């Protein structure tokens, strides 16, 4: 199940020394002047963008959709959408044909090699499980079309954290196709004290997607100021309104208490929930699902997303404040680097742990089949 969007804030966020300067446009970090498709050839402009390859899960032979990345305790956790198990002997990086469905979400751990993820808590020795499972209530257990999507995990304390969960009733149409109906969002509790992380859903529904943003369908980020900032987009309306990114925040030590959540109304964070929000209340507009993160090399917040005008392109926007203003989107990568070219790419995730300096960044994204990885090298000049 696709669980795709996010962002937010009130006054100055995370970097007091910069908070009074406002967000300013930045110089272009990348240019791309491709001469056409080239097999496994790095794309180069005034910074390097290198295709690393397809990500595989050899422990479970899992083929997965979308994805986020986060850390709780010692675990670098990747969370995914629809997950299936490849048949034995199949190509591990792209095997939807003949694959056996596992569930609407799953998780795996990053390894030292960004092209290999490590599965955990396998059944039968080689089959992954849903990370955030259905609740033991008739509404969920009796409906085979009830699906759970997830955001990234985020740490709230020692070996503990939260994850946003999205509920989707994928009832079938008369012609056999699935009709997604997003019901809303809740949270799960992450326990990282054992041999692997676990997810226990706390509430079925905290927010109603029919009138509120689907909180968690971008990512959740630690603002480094005692707050977690979470982002979401509307599920209804036209495509432009669905690409507006709304924000909220909650104290890290109060993330399991709904009463402590506040929401950015365009001017400040208030306890009043965002019901049918307007574009003026969004912190970003026209942004497909992606991830926001702090980059110490650029010393700015970075919004990484698919280029809304290019189904094969990735772009970034930057700001010194998490609530903006943000720079114009700058394309960093185009799938001219790949042969054959996929249908499209979507849902990029930033794996910041591979280079704590922020000079380089591993990015994974879904490519309508495989999950692929690239390496960006930032250039401030």
């Amino acid at each position: 199940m696709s669980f795709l969007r996010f962002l937010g804030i009130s006054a100055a966020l995370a970097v007091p020394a910069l908070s009074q300067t406002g967000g300013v446009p930045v110089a272009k970090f990348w240019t791309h002047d491709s001469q056409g498709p080239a097999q496994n050839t790095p794309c180069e402009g005034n910074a390097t963008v290198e295709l690393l390859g397809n990500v595989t899960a050899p422990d479970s032979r899992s083929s997965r959709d979308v994805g986020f990345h986060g850390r709780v305790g010692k675990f670098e956790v990747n969370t995914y959408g629809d997950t299936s198990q490849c048949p034995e002997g199949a190509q591990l990086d792209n095997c939807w044909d003949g694959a056996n469905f596992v569930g609407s979400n799953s998780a795996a751990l990053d390894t030292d090699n960004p092209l290999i993820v490590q599965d955990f808590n396998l059944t039968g020795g080689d089959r992954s499980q849903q990370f955030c499972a259905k609740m033991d209530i008739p509404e969920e257990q009796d409906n085979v079309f009830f699906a759970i999507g997830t955001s990234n995990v985020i740490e709230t304390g020692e070996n503990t954290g939260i994850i946003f969960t999205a509920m989707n009733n994928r009832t079938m149409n008369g012609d056999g196709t699935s009709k997604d109906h997003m019901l809303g969002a809740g949270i799960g509790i992450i326990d990282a004290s054992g041999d692997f992380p676990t997810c226990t859903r706390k509430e079925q529904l905290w927010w109603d997607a029919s009138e509120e943003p689907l909180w968690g369908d971008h990512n959740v980020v630690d603002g480094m100021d005692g707050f977690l900032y979470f982002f979401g987009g509307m599920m209804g309306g036209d495509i432009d309104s669905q690409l507006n990114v709304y924000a909220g925040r909650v104290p890290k030590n109060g993330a399991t208490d709904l009463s402590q959540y506040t929401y950015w109304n365009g001017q400040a964070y208030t306890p009043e929930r965002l019901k049918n929000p307007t574009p003026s209340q969004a912190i970003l507009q026209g942004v497909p699902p992606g991830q926001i993160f702090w980059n110490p090399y650029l010393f700015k917040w970075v919004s990484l997303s698919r280029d809304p005008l290019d189904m094969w392109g990735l772009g970034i926007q930057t700001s010194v404040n998490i609530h903006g203003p943000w720079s114009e989107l700058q394309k960093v990568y185009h799938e001219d680097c790949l042969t054959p070219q996929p249908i499209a790419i979507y849902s990029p995730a930033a794996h910041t742990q591979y280079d704590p300096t922020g000079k380089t960044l591993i990015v994974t994204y879904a490519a309508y089949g495989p999950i692929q990885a690239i390496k960006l090298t930032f250039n401030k000049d």
Side-chain angles (χ1 to χ4, degrees), residues 287-371:
V287 178
Q291 190 164 350
I292 292 170
F293 57 95
W294 174 254
N295 183 281
Y297 178 74
L298 300 177
F299 212 63
K300 288 181 172 69
W301 292 98
V302 176
S303 171
L304 171 72
S305 68
R306 201 202 76 218
D307 184 338
L309 301 179
D310 182 355
M311 293 289 285
W312 301 277
L314 296 178
I316 68 159
Q317 295 170 263
T318 60
S319 175
V320 295
N321 293 319
I322 201 169
H323 58 293
W326 292 83
S327 67
E328 294 296 319
L329 185 137
Q330 301 166 18
K331 185 176 293 187
V332 300
Y333 179 64
H334 190 280
E335 289 267 278
D336 282 348
C337 301
L338 292 182
T339 304
Q341 192 177 64
I343 299 173
I345 63 176
Y346 57 96
S347 191
H351 302 254
T352 57
Q353 80 278 10
Y354 286 109
D355 183 357
T357 72
K359 171 68 174 176
T360 64
L361 176 69
I362 301 297
V363 174
T364 57
Y365 55 83
Y368 276 94
I371 290 178

Side-chain angles (χ1 to χ4, degrees), residues 236-301:
D238 58 26
I239 187 63
D240 289 337
S241 64
Q242 292 178 27
L243 296 180
N244 291 335
V245 182
Y246 300 94
R249 73 176 185 178
V250 64
K252 288 181 68 172
N253 60 6
T256 60
D257 181 355
L258 179 59
S259 68
Q260 296 200 45
Y261 282 71
T262 57
Y263 311 90
W264 179 251
N265 65 9
Q267 297 180 330
Y269 284 102
T270 73
E272 184 177 356
R273 289 162 69 148
L274 280 182
K275 303 286 184 74
N276 301 307
T278 64
S280 65
Q281 294 174 304
I283 63 166
L284 281 164
Q285 296 185 24
V287 178
Q291 190 164 350
I292 292 170
F293 57 95
W294 174 254
N295 183 281
Y297 178 74
L298 300 177
F299 212 63
K300 288 181 172 69
W301 292 98

Side-chain angles (χ1 to χ4, degrees), residues 17-152:
L18 294 182
S19 61
Q20 304 304 316
T21 66
V24 294
V26 295
K28 286 192 174 183
F29 301 129
W30 303 268
T31 60
H32 180 66
D33 186 19
S34 174
Q35 301 302 311
Q39 183 73 35
N40 295 328
T41 299
C43 297
E44 294 184 4
N46 14 355
T48 299
V49 186
E50 180 183 358
L51 170 66
L52 301 180
N54 293 352
V55 179
T56 63
D59 294 337
S60 67
R61 307 195 313 277
S62 290
S63 185
R64 292 168 160 125
D65 192 23
V66 304
F68 291 97
H69 173 267
R71 179 184 178 91
V72 177
K74 63 183 179 182
F75 300 112
E76 300 286 349
V77 184
N78 299 306
T79 46
Y80 303 97
D82 284 333
T83 299
S84 297
Q85 186 178 43
C86 302
E88 289 191 31
Q91 180 181 339
L92 290 182
D93 56 6
N94 190 5
C95 70
W96 289 106
D97 290 340
N100 181 262
F101 186 67
V102 170
S104 60
N105 71 79
S106 67
L109 306 179
D110 268 338
T111 67
D112 292 340
N113 182 349
L115 297 183
I116 297 176
V117 296
Q118 177 185 345
D119 284 283
F120 56 87
N121 194 27
L122 299 176
T123 61
D126 66 352
R127 183 178 173 85
S128 60
Q129 302 186 60
Q130 282 209 171
F131 184 52
C132 296
K134 293 182 179 182
M135 288 183 168
D136 189 18
I137 57 177
E139 180 183 351
E140 296 191 12
Q141 292 295 328
D142 296 346
N143 186 353
V144 296
F145 302 114
F146 192 92
I148 307 296
T150 61
S151 72
N152 59 297

Side-chain angles (χ1 to χ4, degrees), residues 161-216:
I162 65 166
I163 188 171
F164 281 74
T165 58
M167 293 187 297
N168 186 1
N169 186 351
R170 299 197 283 199
T171 304
M172 305 299 286
N173 295 317
D175 61 1
T177 59
S178 174
K179 183 178 181 179
D180 286 6
H181 176 58
M182 300 303 301
L183 302 177
I187 70 163
I189 309 301
I190 304 300
D191 181 357
S193 62
D195 294 334
F196 52 83
T198 62
C199 170
T200 303
R201 290 170 59 209
K202 178 176 175 61
E203 300 286 347
Q204 187 188 37
L205 257 184
W206 269 2
W207 299 279
D208 182 354
S210 69
E211 60 180 359
E212 297 177 275
L214 187 67
W215 296 120

